[in-house]
Amino acid sequence: EGLLETMREPLLVIDKNHRVKSANAAFYSTFDVPTKETEGVLVFELGKKQWDQPRLREALEKILSLQSSFQDIEIGFDFPGGERKIMCLNGHRLMQSDIREELILLALEDVTAHKLLQERNDTFVSMASHELKTPVTTVKTLVQILQKRFESSEDTMLVEYLRRMGQQIDQLSWLVNDFLDISKIRSGKFEIESDLFDIDSLVQEIVENYQLLSPHHTIRLEGRANVRVKGDRDRIGQVLINLLVNAIKYSPKASEVIVSCSATR
């Protein structure tokens, strides 16, 4: 009890029936509740039942039976005056050796500021990624046109510079897409499309595009799958591009990359 009182974080001790045994001063200060409305009360009844969350119920049920702990369960609490805070809950099983009573220690951390900062960062990354995609795509297209125009030029230095420029633009494009995907995943807006498409046309499209960007390798496409698949065409395309780029990147002394396409049933 003395240790609990020295902690700055709000702490609760509850029994195996999920009733509050005690709370420290930081808990009462944070939630501004009297002792009589806390001790002996079912934890799910606290704060006008704001604690009654399915994830917390499940975690508390398991913690004693499995003799385990849990971390990072986030709960939003509405405070008087309209203030809303996000609290992160961690739970740990305790045992009072003298009376063999099983208890649970709940530690709370106010992560409101951290979540707000994370949301702002995600918003910035998302906006920046969207704004960067258009100029990067435009520059990439212009470089491809120049590469096609000067591929037979006697100015080998110019051809080499265009090739290197194309590689750097590809890397920048991948970085932009990665940032965009990360921001979508964090915000819960990352979606996988599911449509029927011709896998052969996708493979051929990727091979033709990267043949332009890799003049020092001959990319040869062998075989056809002759099937339509259901999935996210863009995401599957990214996987194929990764495979092709790695094949080119890690075979600098080779002159040919073979892409074999077939259906296995």
Side-chain angles (χ1 to χ4, degrees):
E1 290 178 355
L3 182 61
L4 295 184
E5 289 303 321
T6 64
M7 301 296 289
R8 295 183 178 181
E9 294 79 14
L11 299 171
L12 276 179
V13 176
I14 63 177
D15 62 21
K16 63 181 181 180
N17 297 315
H18 304 149
R19 292 189 178 275
V20 179
K21 291 275 291 185
S22 63
N24 67 348
F27 177 87
Y28 290 116
S29 174
T30 299
F31 289 92
D32 192 23
V33 290
T35 305
K36 64 180 181 179
E37 293 182 11
T38 306
E39 292 188 5
V41 177
L42 192 66
V43 69
F44 307 116
E45 299 289 333
L46 295 176
K48 297 180 180 179
K49 297 187 177 182
Q50 293 188 81
W51 292 69
D52 192 2
Q53 302 288 333
R55 284 191 63 198
L56 181 58
R57 279 184 173 273
E58 182 181 0
L60 291 177
E61 290 294 337
K62 290 181 178 179
I63 196 170
L64 294 179
S65 60
L66 301 179
Q67 299 185 4
S68 61
S69 60
F70 64 82
Q71 293 181 327
D72 301 333
I73 292 182
E74 293 182 0
I75 298 180
F77 291 97
D78 294 316
F79 286 77
E83 183 182 13
R84 183 171 178 79
K85 292 183 179 181
I86 306 297
M87 307 296 289
C88 183
L89 276 66
N90 297 321
H92 189 77
R93 175 179 173 270
L94 301 175
M95 175 67 76
Q96 279 192 305
S97 57
D98 54 342
I99 59 175
R100 302 295 297 174
E101 183 181 11
E102 289 184 313
L103 301 173
I104 300 171
L105 174 66
L106 286 180
L108 295 91
E109 179 186 2
D110 186 351
V111 295
T112 309
H114 174 73
K115 297 292 289 186
L116 180 60
L117 179 61
Q118 187 179 67
E119 289 177 4
R120 288 176 177 174
N121 287 340
D122 290 344
T123 300
F124 170 76
V125 169
S126 179
M127 290 177 60
S129 300
H130 277 295
E131 293 299 322
L132 283 170
K133 285 193 74 173
T134 300
V136 168
T137 303
T138 302
V139 173
K140 181 178 179 179
T141 302
L142 294 174
V143 169
Q144 287 177 333
I145 293 172
L146 289 174
Q147 283 182 311
K148 196 69 177 176
R149 180 173 180 179
F150 292 103
E151 62 183 357
S152 58
S153 171
E154 296 180 358
D155 190 342
T156 56
M157 187 65 72
L158 174 62
V159 174
E160 177 64 15
Y161 283 160
L162 287 173
R163 184 186 71 82
R164 293 186 181 184
M165 189 183 299
Q167 289 179 337
Q168 296 302 313
I169 292 172
D170 283 337
Q171 291 183 8
L172 180 58
S173 180
W174 274 106
L175 283 174
V176 171
N177 289 331
D178 284 346
F179 278 132
L180 197 56
D181 286 346
I182 289 171
S183 66
K184 287 180 179 178
I185 291 171
R186 285 182 176 175
S187 63
K189 297 179 181 178
F190 186 80
E191 296 180 356
I192 300 295
E193 302 293 334
S194 185
D195 298 305
L196 280 172
F197 66 92
D198 182 16
I199 191 70
D200 289 317
S201 63
L202 175 61
V203 174
Q204 185 172 354
E205 176 186 319
I206 291 171
V207 168
E208 289 176 352
N209 288 341
Y210 275 81
Q211 182 62 79
L212 290 173
L213 297 173
S214 185
H216 296 291
H217 287 78
T218 298
I219 305 176
R220 182 154 55 90
L221 177 59
E222 294 183 349
R224 291 179 61 84
N226 294 315
V227 294
R228 288 169 63 81
V229 299
K230 188 174 184 180
D232 192 317
R233 190 179 191 276
D234 291 338
R235 302 298 175 194
I236 294 176
Q238 287 180 353
V239 174
L240 296 175
I241 289 171
N242 274 333
L243 292 172
L244 187 54
V245 168
N246 284 339
I248 295 170
K249 180 179 179 181
Y250 295 107
S251 56
K253 296 181 180 179
S255 60
E256 186 177 58
V257 174
I258 300 172
V259 178
S260 179
C261 189
S262 62
T264 302
R265 292 182 174 85

